Amino acid sequence: MDRLAYFRHEVGAFEVAVRRVLGAGEAPFVPSCPEWTVTDLVGHLGAVHRLVTAVVVDRLTAIPEHSDASVYHLPDERDGWPVPGKAPTPGPLPVGLVDWFADGASALAAAFRDTPGETAVWTWSEEQTVDFWVRMQTIEAAVHRWDAENALGPAAPIAAELAVDAIRQNFEVMAPARRERRQASPGAGEHLRFRRTDGPEAWSVRFDGDVVHLDAPGTADVELAGTASDLMLFLWQRIPADHLTATGDQAVLDRYFTLVPAL
């Protein structure tokens, strides 16, 4: 799987989507990120790209100080840009913000291209490598591209190969991280199966205490079936369960997001 190619595609599609907002008056709200306008979405993804670029290029083994704004390479002119902690940002989407995003996405793609994946760097996960960031940022770009398109009309689905990778990453990385960072119900053996309808894959997950078991054996309490893209978007809390086909114990399905809360 060429994650870098997917990253480039998704950030390019994100830029195309948000440029549609330029000159259209107030930047629209993002339904899947209800506290943000498109301006906030662009600012968020652009800031993450700049931070990760600094980590990768400088081989940082600790997160930069939050007070160090130099990693973001901010221009002097920032009228209408998001202010941290003050979302939603009203007004038109600034052209300069989109240009800054595009430059930062290009710089991160170059950093990924030029840095061996096994290079040790800081991450927020147990895996402390550049490869972690390539995988994570490709998935994040795809999710936020969908957010941006969905704010403007119908959004294109996530590419199946990328969605399959993201589903597994959700249970390997994101679900444990969400449970650690937010108060989550202890697992009581809830067993869910996620079955792809546009391919052969299925993911069986059981929650026991604080542990998330992927590829859990046995019969699931509930099964959710849908395309790889829709399963991924459900797991990232972008679409509700009624977009999928559910069979089995509805009560277990209803508990899912108490077991895996939002970040």
Side-chain angles (χ1 to χ4, degrees):
M1 176 178 176
D2 189 345
R3 291 194 177 101
L4 182 54
Y6 278 119
F7 176 79
R8 287 175 168 145
H9 170 80
E10 293 294 346
V11 295
F14 178 91
E15 181 185 352
V16 168
V18 299
R19 284 196 184 278
R20 291 166 54 194
V21 177
L22 295 175
E26 291 280 322
F29 276 84
V30 181
S32 47
C33 303
E35 296 181 359
W36 287 355
T37 65
V38 167
T39 299
D40 298 299
L41 182 64
V42 176
H44 163 75
L45 191 54
V48 170
H49 286 172
R50 299 282 178 154
L51 177 64
V52 175
T53 299
V55 169
V56 172
V57 170
D58 296 333
R59 310 294 202 270
L60 300 182
T61 56
I63 187 172
E65 290 292 333
H66 289 292
S67 59
D68 182 11
S70 66
V71 299
Y72 301 108
H73 300 280
L74 298 170
D76 293 333
E77 173 54 54
R78 299 197 299 276
D79 286 348
W81 284 42
V83 176
K86 294 188 177 181
T89 302
L93 174 65
V95 175
L97 179 65
V98 180
D99 293 341
W100 171 83
F101 164 82
D103 289 344
S106 178
L108 183 54
F112 287 157
R113 180 197 64 208
D114 296 339
T115 310
E118 66 274 13
T119 302
V121 295
W122 172 84
T123 78
W124 50 259
S125 177
E126 291 182 1
E127 182 186 353
Q128 300 279 295
T129 68
V130 171
D131 271 341
F132 169 87
W133 283 123
V134 177
R135 189 184 194 192
M136 185 71 249
Q137 289 310 303
T138 300
I139 294 168
E140 183 162 3
V143 171
H144 287 324
R145 183 273 300 164
W146 188 93
D147 289 331
E149 292 180 350
N150 186 57
L152 303 174
I158 310 297
E161 183 182 35
L162 176 55
V164 166
D165 185 50
I167 292 166
R168 190 163 193 90
Q169 192 264 7
N170 175 73
F171 295 115
E172 293 171 340
V173 178
M174 299 302 294
R178 288 174 174 176
R179 290 179 58 78
E180 182 177 344
R181 295 183 190 185
R182 294 284 182 92
Q183 185 173 359
S185 301
E190 295 90 349
H191 192 169
L192 298 95
R193 185 171 187 260
F194 299 85
R195 179 173 60 83
R196 178 184 174 192
T197 56
D198 58 344
E201 294 88 356
W203 299 266
S204 186
V205 184
R206 190 177 69 248
F207 294 87
D208 288 321
D210 293 331
V211 180
V212 180
H213 299 280
L214 180 60
D215 302 324
T219 302
D221 301 308
V222 63
E223 179 183 273
L224 282 177
T227 65
S229 177
D230 281 350
L231 289 172
M232 174 190 172
L233 290 169
F234 167 78
L235 294 171
W236 261 261
Q237 302 183 26
R238 264 47 188 189
I239 62 173
D242 61 15
H243 283 54
L244 306 168
T245 300
T247 55
D249 190 343
Q250 181 66 39
V252 172
L253 177 58
D254 291 342
R255 287 201 297 275
Y256 177 77
F257 286 120
T258 69
L259 297 166
V260 186
L263 280 174

